[in-house]
């Protein structure tokens, strides 16, 4: 099987919100996607940015937007992000009673559809829904805040998903989010992830673009050996 090149998606949650456009441009030539964390203070306790910021930022960069909605009632809000030009819109399984219907709505609005699985949610009940999705985001922390410590045993879900995706020949990215850094990305890649969100590891570095390239190299090497 040919291994697709890994995706590295810096999370602007760790960027300086007063200089967002500049912070995005700092990774423009290094990143594959830009990960945008939308939190509503209900699904998670934290509050971040919403549609108006995403709309403004869309005009400031060529990078594809990987929007991660940590919100309640995604059926009401998610299609707006697709309309705003997001490349991929991911919503949480825990927040949606009909994930397949919303995936269809997102695809008809021109975006890819992503399903996110939080720390305490098992993956098994969702495996059969995966043909309706383009990305599966497996949290490697509890969703809500950046800068948390990576939880290694959550990679068991990545392994289960990878086996399912490969045996079913599904065309799906398996993305990990939370605590991804130079000392954790290889184990995530070996477990079967092929898209990697990194906030602190990118924007906490002196040179964010260089940090992205370093992460990609580590992931590439681990995927080639996996
Ligand atoms: C947290 C967000 C993550 C966050 C990751 O709920 O979904 O995308 O930005 O931050 P780090 O890479 O610092 O763990
Ligand atoms: Zn995220």
């Amino acid at each position: 099987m040919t291994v697709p090149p890994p995706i590295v998606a810096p999370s602007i949650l760790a960027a300086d919100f007063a200089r967002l456009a500049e912070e995005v441009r700092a990774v423009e030539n290094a990143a594959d996607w830009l990960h945008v964390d939308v939190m509503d203070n209900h699904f998670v306790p934290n509050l971040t940015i919403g549609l108006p910021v995403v709309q403004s930022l869309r005009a400031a960069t060529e990078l594809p937007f990987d929007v991660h909605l940590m919100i309640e009632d995604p059926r009401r809000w998610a299609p707006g992000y697709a309309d705003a030009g997001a490349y991929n819109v991911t919503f949480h399984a825990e927040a949606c009673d009909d994930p397949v219907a919303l995936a269809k709505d997102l695809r008809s609005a021109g975006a890819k559809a992503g399903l996110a699985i939080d720390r305490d949610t098992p993956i098994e009940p969702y495996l059969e829904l995966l043909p309706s999705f383009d990305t599966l985001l497996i949290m490697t922390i509890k969703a809500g805040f950046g800068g948390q410590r990576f939880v290694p045993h959550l990679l068991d879900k990545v392994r289960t998903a990878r086996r399912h995706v490969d045996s079913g020949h599904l065309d799906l990215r398996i993305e990990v989010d939370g605590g991804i850094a130079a000392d954790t990305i290889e184990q995530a890649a070996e477990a079967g992830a092929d898209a990697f969100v990194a906030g602190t590891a990118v924007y906490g570095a002196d040179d964010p673009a260089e940090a992205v390239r370093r992460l990609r190299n580590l992931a590439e090497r681990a995927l080639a050996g996996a």
Side-chain angles (χ1 to χ4, degrees):
M1 183 177 293
T2 53
V3 185
I7 296 285
V8 179
S11 165
I12 54 167
L13 185 60
D16 179 351
F17 275 19
R19 299 186 299 113
L20 266 186
E22 242 177 274
E23 294 274 74
V24 171
R25 283 188 209 109
V27 296
E28 179 101 45
N29 297 317
D32 301 288
W33 299 346
L34 188 77
H35 187 79
V36 181
D37 288 303
V38 174
M39 306 190 193
D40 67 350
N41 175 235
H42 289 274
F43 180 72
V44 289
N46 202 0
L47 180 69
T48 57
I49 57 169
L51 191 54
V53 175
V54 171
Q55 286 165 332
S56 296
L57 214 50
R58 189 53 289 173
T61 175
E62 299 289 319
L63 280 173
F65 283 2
D66 176 38
V67 174
H68 177 192
L69 300 176
M70 284 159 276
I71 62 170
E72 284 180 1
D73 201 4
R75 281 204 83 172
R76 176 166 174 197
W77 302 107
Y81 291 86
D83 293 341
Y87 171 75
N88 177 68
V89 180
T90 290
F91 59 90
H92 269 265
E94 304 84 9
C96 189
D97 52 14
D98 194 348
V100 169
L102 182 48
K104 279 196 189 122
D105 291 349
L106 289 168
R107 283 175 165 179
S108 25
K112 300 207 177 287
L115 184 69
I117 306 288
D118 205 355
R119 182 190 66 185
D120 302 326
T121 304
I123 186 84
E124 286 77 8
Y126 297 100
L127 292 174
E128 66 197 48
L129 310 188
L130 294 183
S132 300
F133 287 89
D134 305 288
T135 58
L136 170 67
L137 186 155
I138 296 180
M139 295 303 302
T140 38
I141 54 166
K142 170 85 179 149
F145 297 91
Q148 301 182 64
R149 191 191 290 260
F150 176 80
V151 183
H153 77 79
L154 296 175
L155 292 180
D156 288 344
K157 290 195 250 186
V158 174
R159 292 184 190 95
T160 301
R162 172 52 63 198
R163 278 195 299 274
H164 187 83
V165 165
D166 286 354
S167 66
H169 305 287
L170 301 179
D171 186 12
L172 181 94
R173 285 275 178 184
I174 300 179
E175 188 173 8
V176 282
D177 185 5
I180 298 297
D183 60 345
T184 56
I185 195 167
E186 289 161 295
Q187 45 184 302
E190 282 158 9
D194 59 5
F196 305 87
V197 177
T200 310
V202 170
Y203 283 107
D206 291 338
D207 183 342
E210 184 51 35
V212 170
R213 290 189 191 103
R214 178 156 179 243
L215 289 171
R216 189 183 298 95
N217 284 340
L218 290 167
E220 254 162 17
R221 281 215 312 250
L223 284 171

